[in-house]
Amino acid sequence: MRGDEEYPGQSTVAIYAKSYTVEPAEGNGQQELPLPLLAKRILEVATLHAESWGVGYRTLIKSGQVWVLSRLAVEMNRYPRINEHYTLETWIEGYNKHFSSRNFAISGEDGTPCGYARTIWSVIDLNTRSSVDISQFEYIARNISDKPCPIEKQSRVRDVHDESPAVYHVAYNDIDLNRHVNSVKYIEHLLDLFPFEQYDRQRVRRFEIGYAHEARYDAILQLLKEEESPDNFALEIRDNEKIYCKGRIIFENR
């Protein structure tokens, strides 16, 4: 199924694909697809695929439930350039009572791989904020795919030590429909910990993030980074009481 097609109400397509173009207004300072926009596309394509099975946002919200991204790992050989067409493919690798593992392949307009992503999702009840048993979603069980995803699963990030963390005050544009900080906004704030000139010299080879708690409007966040090895940084967003997310960014020279 391609992105320019309408998805049916209950599809049996195990691998879903959608194509995009990097519009000039979307490009970053290096004239490439920005990582936060790629993360947004990953969220969008996952939602469309779930919708095609009848277990997407439009269905679950009627019961006060929503899918929530728990973990994301992206590894890129290159990023599509401005005016380039690119395609995201997604499929379910497996699931259990609490989590679903969904993978992605990102390819350029010539069909060659640009990179891959691994994601972990859960469903929460908006009233209780507790997880929902997703084994009840029969369309997931019917559509597990053995398509390989050749990147490592997310690494374990220990506590991050940073004597001078950046401080960020959560604002209106950080908040999503669930009234907490949008998952992509965390990525943007972590990427902003590094200077513009670094992105001219290097690209993000791998980015990881794992979400732990929900940050709300008006929260005061501390953004920490620690270089564990050359070009390999552990990341963390926290306040004085809790850790909201941990992550990792690995750079490589252009």
Side-chain angles (χ1 to χ4, degrees):
M1 178 181 293
R2 290 294 162 183
D4 56 359
E5 298 177 357
E6 290 294 326
Y7 50 82
Q10 291 183 342
S11 170
T12 57
V13 175
I15 300 176
Y16 183 96
K18 183 171 175 61
S19 296
Y20 298 90
T21 302
V22 185
E23 302 293 344
E26 297 175 335
N28 59 19
Q30 291 71 41
Q31 301 186 21
E32 296 170 334
L33 174 69
L35 179 56
L37 181 55
L38 175 57
K40 182 179 178 182
R41 298 300 188 221
I42 286 171
L43 292 167
E44 180 178 294
V45 173
T47 299
L48 291 174
H49 197 194
E51 292 281 10
S52 76
W53 293 341
V55 292
Y57 175 82
R58 294 190 301 183
T59 302
L60 295 188
I61 196 63
K62 296 175 183 177
S63 301
Q65 301 172 349
V66 291
W67 285 98
V68 174
L69 180 64
S70 177
R71 294 184 180 184
L72 167 69
V74 179
E75 192 166 311
M76 299 293 288
N77 299 315
R78 72 174 187 89
Y79 292 83
R81 306 281 299 177
I82 287 177
N83 291 325
E84 183 178 352
H85 303 297
Y86 63 100
T87 299
L88 272 69
E89 286 186 314
T90 186
W91 62 97
I92 298 293
E93 181 179 71
Y95 77 103
N96 58 34
K97 183 176 180 180
H98 298 293
F99 296 103
S100 171
S101 56
R102 174 181 286 277
N103 299 333
F104 295 80
I106 303 100
S107 58
E109 60 186 10
D110 62 355
T112 58
C114 295
Y116 295 87
R118 289 182 175 272
T119 60
I120 302 293
W121 298 77
S122 63
V123 174
I124 65 167
D125 185 292
L126 289 175
N127 294 318
T128 65
R129 313 307 291 184
S130 60
S131 63
V132 174
D133 181 359
I134 63 174
S135 63
Q136 63 183 298
F137 301 149
E138 59 182 284
Y139 286 97
I140 296 178
R142 294 180 186 178
N143 290 284
I144 302 297
S145 173
D146 60 359
K147 180 179 174 68
C149 183
I151 67 171
E152 295 293 329
K153 296 181 179 180
Q154 191 173 33
S155 62
R156 184 176 298 276
V157 178
R158 59 179 177 78
D159 289 343
V160 179
H161 301 284
D162 187 343
E163 297 298 325
S164 301
V167 176
Y168 183 78
H169 194 164
V170 175
Y172 169 76
N173 281 316
D174 292 308
I175 304 301
D176 65 11
L177 79 167
N178 296 319
R179 301 183 75 87
H180 60 211
V181 174
N182 182 281
S183 55
V184 176
K185 288 294 183 177
Y186 292 100
I187 298 173
E188 292 179 352
H189 298 324
L190 290 172
L191 292 174
D192 283 341
L193 292 174
F194 301 88
F196 186 90
E197 294 77 14
Q198 183 157 359
Y199 294 103
D200 281 338
R201 301 191 316 269
Q202 298 182 305
R203 68 171 58 86
V204 178
R205 168 69 176 178
R206 183 176 171 95
F207 181 88
E208 304 176 7
I209 189 167
Y211 302 95
H213 291 94
E214 301 171 317
R216 303 287 184 171
Y217 174 74
D218 213 29
I220 306 296
L221 305 179
Q222 301 168 27
L223 286 72
L224 298 80
K225 71 175 187 294
E226 180 182 0
E227 190 169 18
E228 294 186 334
S229 60
D231 299 324
N232 185 331
F233 293 83
L235 308 170
E236 185 176 282
I237 297 180
R238 63 173 302 136
D239 60 18
N240 292 328
E241 297 180 353
K242 65 181 65 172
I243 294 172
Y244 292 101
C245 66
K246 288 187 175 186
R248 182 176 304 281
I249 188 167
I250 300 175
F251 291 98
E252 67 176 4
N253 293 334
R254 290 184 176 277

